[in-house]
Amino acid sequence: MDTIKQIHKIKTQLTEQQIIFCYAGYITEDVLVSVGNTIKQKLELVKADRSAARAVFAIFVEEAQNIIRYSKAFIQDETGEFQNPLRFGFVAVGKSTDRYYVCCGNRIQAQDVARLDGHLQHLQGLDADGLKTLFKETLRDDPPEGSKGAGVGFIDIARRAKGGFEFSFEDITAEYADFYIKAYV
Amino acid sequence: MENINLAGSDNSPEVVFDFANNTFALRGMSYMEDTSGFYDTIIEALNGHLDNLSGTEVRFEFALTYFNSSSSRIIFRLFDKLDEIAESGNPTTIFWFHEDDEDILEQGEEFAEDLSHATFTLVGEQD
């Protein structure tokens, strides 16, 4: 009973926070596509502004793909040779005052915190033109080493987050930290 | 070269590469996780074909409703390639379908800013 009450409490808090969608668990490409479609449907139903709905969907995709590509909380088979480990992450879509936001969390290596922190602070300091220039420069260059995407995911998020974005790192162990980013459309 | 025809899915576009007629199209959504896995082979085939053209008219249709940031890189480089073949004497037109979606329209215009030789044509909502 206690457990159900606790779960009910979490659920109630989510509702109070106007969170329309929340997922904590392993994220696969199938999950991404299904959840993405569901979020789009939900935003169409509530007649959200079309441009805001598209931005929510796009930011959700970029953030979820970060989890699939990079989350350091994952399981793989015993041999460690399993090519597609299941990666754990957290994604929420909510509304605060008049803006929708997408918030995502995943585990990263502590040694990556400084680099990511610097990159995101740099993006926060750029205006729309600055972000556009950086986006195109980055597309022209080869992807950075260790990047499985195009290295432009956060720039894309920053460009679509018309209400800005915030981020935070929470220490877990000496080796790992949890990284959160919350983008307002 | 054998034509490439791939049906679209929830997160990958319909691909129509008609090498005989030099008309090419990408339509639908593009946000697969493994962008390179999807595009590398077909783009390589396309580039190999385009490099051998001479004085040929080329039409490329982009009718994408959403693409993620790693797909942006693919499209950006395709634009570069199409501009390059236009410069070497192949009249090339890029048709950018946006269905009055402002985001897609702006993204297309941004890519087009770097074109010097290929023709860029915006196509809005169909009647």
Side-chain angles (χ1 to χ4, degrees), chain A residues 29 32-34 36-37 40 50-51 54-55 57-59 61-62 65 68-69 84 132 135-144 148-154 156 159-160 162, chain B residues 9-11 29-36 65-77 80 98-104 106-107 109-115 125:
Chain A
E29 199 166 10
L32 190 164
V33 169
S34 313
N37 287 340
K40 261 200 305 199
R50 202 169 150 211
S51 165
R54 285 169 193 277
F57 176 77
I59 294 172
V61 169
E62 296 297 331
Q65 285 183 333
I68 296 175
R69 287 175 180 144
N84 296 297
K132 177 185 157 184
F135 186 74
K136 289 179 86 168
E137 280 171 10
T138 314
L139 288 185
R140 188 162 277 127
D141 295 341
D142 283 326
K148 297 172 198 165
V152 286
F154 286 122
D156 190 61
R159 296 189 71 190
R160 293 180 190 270
K162 303 290 184 218
Chain B
S9 75
D10 270 340
N11 64 353
M29 302 284 252
S30 181
Y31 65 102
M32 66 296 291
E33 197 242 321
D34 184 6
T35 320
S36 302
T65 48
Y66 167 70
F67 48 92
N68 67 351
S69 62
S70 36
S71 300
S72 294
R73 176 189 294 276
I74 306 286
I75 299 164
F76 189 74
R77 295 189 164 194
D80 268 356
H98 57 81
E99 291 187 358
D100 296 338
D101 176 335
E102 271 179 41
D103 292 340
I104 293 286
E106 278 175 25
Q107 284 168 315
E109 285 175 333
E110 262 183 47
F111 289 135
E113 282 168 7
D114 298 326
L115 296 173
E125 197 131 37

Side-chain angles (χ1 to χ4, degrees), chain B residues 8-52:
Chain B
S9 75
D10 270 340
N11 64 353
S12 66
E14 175 193 358
V15 179
V16 182
F17 287 179
D18 182 344
F19 295 107
N21 292 305
N22 288 298
T23 55
F24 308 95
L26 291 174
R27 300 186 186 107
M29 302 284 252
S30 181
Y31 65 102
M32 66 296 291
E33 197 242 321
D34 184 6
T35 320
S36 302
F38 182 83
Y39 283 107
D40 281 1
T41 323
I42 58 170
I43 297 289
E44 202 185 307
L46 176 72
N47 288 346
H49 172 82
L50 295 176
D51 284 338
N52 288 317

Side-chain angles (χ1 to χ4, degrees), chain A residues 16-182:
Chain A
E16 283 167 5
Q17 298 280 323
Q18 291 203 67
I19 288 178
I20 61 170
F21 170 83
C22 180
Y23 184 97
Y26 294 102
I27 299 195
T28 62
E29 199 166 10
D30 287 342
V31 169
L32 190 164
V33 169
S34 313
V35 169
N37 287 340
T38 310
I39 291 174
K40 261 200 305 199
Q41 255 178 35
K42 158 78 186 182
L43 293 172
E44 276 163 22
L45 282 175
V46 298
K47 307 225 178 312
D49 173 69
R50 202 169 150 211
S51 165
R54 285 169 193 277
V56 165
F57 176 77
I59 294 172
F60 165 76
V61 169
E62 296 297 331
E63 291 187 356
Q65 285 183 333
N66 272 340
I67 295 170
I68 296 175
R69 287 175 180 144
Y70 303 115
S71 174
K72 292 297 174 193
F74 58 82
I75 48 164
Q76 54 190 0
D77 73 358
E78 297 156 348
T79 64
E81 283 170 6
F82 185 42
Q83 289 300 302
N84 296 297
L86 282 172
R87 294 185 193 264
F88 190 93
F90 167 86
V91 186
V93 177
K95 202 173 182 187
S96 80
T97 58
D98 58 339
R99 282 190 186 277
Y100 282 100
Y101 64 82
V102 185
C103 180
C104 139
N106 64 276
R107 189 146 298 177
I108 62 170
Q109 282 187 302
Q111 63 187 38
D112 292 330
V113 169
R115 181 183 49 84
L116 195 52
D117 186 45
H119 181 50
L120 293 172
Q121 282 196 40
H122 176 61
L123 296 183
Q124 280 181 328
L126 295 174
D127 61 8
D129 282 343
L131 287 169
K132 177 185 157 184
T133 306
L134 181 63
F135 186 74
K136 289 179 86 168
E137 280 171 10
T138 314
L139 288 185
R140 188 162 277 127
D141 295 341
D142 283 326
E145 200 164 323
S147 169
K148 297 172 198 165
V152 286
F154 286 122
I155 311 176
D156 190 61
I157 290 172
R159 296 189 71 190
R160 293 180 190 270
K162 303 290 184 218
F165 69 90
E166 52 194 327
F167 61 95
S168 149
F169 301 97
E170 308 294 330
D171 292 337
I172 301 296
T173 62
E175 202 184 344
Y176 294 108
D178 275 351
F179 159 65
Y180 292 91
I181 181 165
K182 190 176 182 188

